[in-house]
Amino acid sequence: MYFLCQQDIQQKYYNCRIVMPLIENIRLEAHARLGIWHITEDEQFFLPHVSLSREITHPHKRLQHIAGRYLLTRLCPSFPVEQIAILPSRKPVVPGHHYFFSIAHSRDYVAALISDHVPVGVDIEHKNPVVERIAPKFLSPDELSWLEERRRLLQLTLCWAAKEAVYKWYGLGGIDFRRDIRLQPFHVGPPGEIIARLVPLQTELMIRYQIQRSYCVAWTLGSGKELYKI
């Protein structure tokens, strides 16, 4: 297991037990936890702890699904995974605003972010040359103009992860990555920050990211409880 966490300063959160080396110690706000799990287990490891809440036939997607929910319980043992509901936009939520969370998958890795204070969004992406081909579909001409050639693949991956994190933070769907989420120019640096503007809400979000050897993870936390009235 790979685990990213801050020092526990609230009793409601879990004191992390690291069963493999800690990659990074990412300090988020006091109300938030971020974790990454490298999936090396099979379904039988996770199923005693979390159930498969919906029918998923693809074996690896099933494994990602239950691993993500299990990671939520490792970040916060009292997390009510059985109460997770799915909005029409397909965003998973816990009714009542007691927990805000986001889950992302990439290959054999799962990322999860929890806050009891503000909506959150997280994404994890492996570097893949395919992102070069689809870049004009999620980046505007202005955004494409400031990409750094020397680290273009990595920067494109970060741009995609940042926009995914914003999309998950918003959670209501109907957002066009190219038109509605605009990134300000940034230089790649491990770690780093990206400022994103969500055009429909006329608001800016700070995206933070970490880069590992084969993947990167990006996340955002921000106000907006009124977005999820269920």
Side-chain angles (χ1 to χ4, degrees):
M1 180 189 74
Y2 293 147
F3 207 54
L4 304 181
C5 64
Q6 68 179 88
Q7 293 294 323
D8 193 357
I9 63 174
Q10 290 184 332
Q11 289 185 347
K12 71 180 294 183
Y13 288 121
Y14 189 57
N15 286 322
C16 306
R17 291 184 299 165
I18 309 304
V19 299
M20 285 185 69
L22 183 67
I23 295 178
E24 294 283 351
N25 187 346
I26 298 180
R27 294 183 178 274
L28 306 181
E29 284 79 353
H31 53 77
R33 285 248 181 199
L34 171 66
I36 293 181
W37 189 285
H38 182 197
I39 306 172
T40 58
E41 305 83 1
D42 59 21
E43 284 189 20
Q44 298 310 310
F45 173 84
F46 300 106
L47 287 177
H49 309 282
V50 295
S51 61
L52 191 64
S53 60
R54 56 189 175 89
E55 185 61 30
I56 303 174
T57 57
H58 191 283
H60 189 63
K61 291 187 181 298
R62 284 169 57 92
L63 189 58
Q64 289 179 324
H65 178 85
I66 56 178
R69 278 152 176 72
Y70 177 72
L71 179 53
L72 292 174
T73 68
R74 289 299 303 268
L75 293 172
C76 177
S78 61
F79 192 92
V81 290
E82 71 285 352
Q83 295 181 25
I84 292 177
I86 306 298
L87 294 179
S89 63
R90 301 188 61 81
K91 178 181 174 68
V93 297
V94 173
H97 304 313
H98 299 301
Y99 297 92
F100 298 92
F101 72 99
S102 181
I103 302 173
H105 316 95
S106 181
R107 300 181 186 175
D108 294 328
Y109 289 81
V110 177
L113 177 58
I114 301 176
S115 171
D116 65 352
H117 187 58
V118 295
V120 300
V122 68
D123 191 48
I124 182 170
E125 297 289 342
H126 280 76
K127 288 177 283 187
N128 187 332
V130 172
V131 74
E132 179 72 55
R133 177 170 52 83
I134 65 172
K137 296 182 178 181
F138 69 89
L139 292 177
S140 68
D142 179 64
E143 289 169 324
L144 289 169
S145 71
W146 47 252
L147 293 174
E148 302 171 5
E149 287 302 321
R150 187 173 63 89
R151 309 189 74 180
R152 185 178 177 89
L153 176 59
L154 177 56
Q155 195 169 28
L156 282 171
T157 305
L158 288 170
C159 288
W160 176 257
K163 292 201 174 189
E164 278 281 356
V166 172
Y167 181 83
K168 292 179 178 181
W169 173 88
Y170 179 65
L172 299 183
I175 294 295
D176 182 273
F177 278 29
R178 185 173 182 267
R179 180 191 67 233
D180 298 328
I181 305 174
R182 296 297 182 91
L183 304 179
Q184 292 189 11
F186 68 96
H187 296 290
V188 177
E193 298 176 342
I194 306 169
I195 296 176
R197 183 168 183 79
L198 185 55
V199 177
L201 294 187
Q202 293 296 297
T203 190
E204 288 188 348
L205 292 168
M206 176 66 74
I207 315 299
R208 292 181 171 84
Y209 64 83
Q210 281 279 354
I211 301 169
Q212 299 297 339
R213 178 171 297 179
S214 61
Y215 68 88
C216 62
V217 57
W219 68 93
T220 188
L221 305 93
S223 61
K225 291 185 179 182
E226 70 281 357
L227 295 176
Y228 317 117
K229 293 180 179 179
I230 64 171

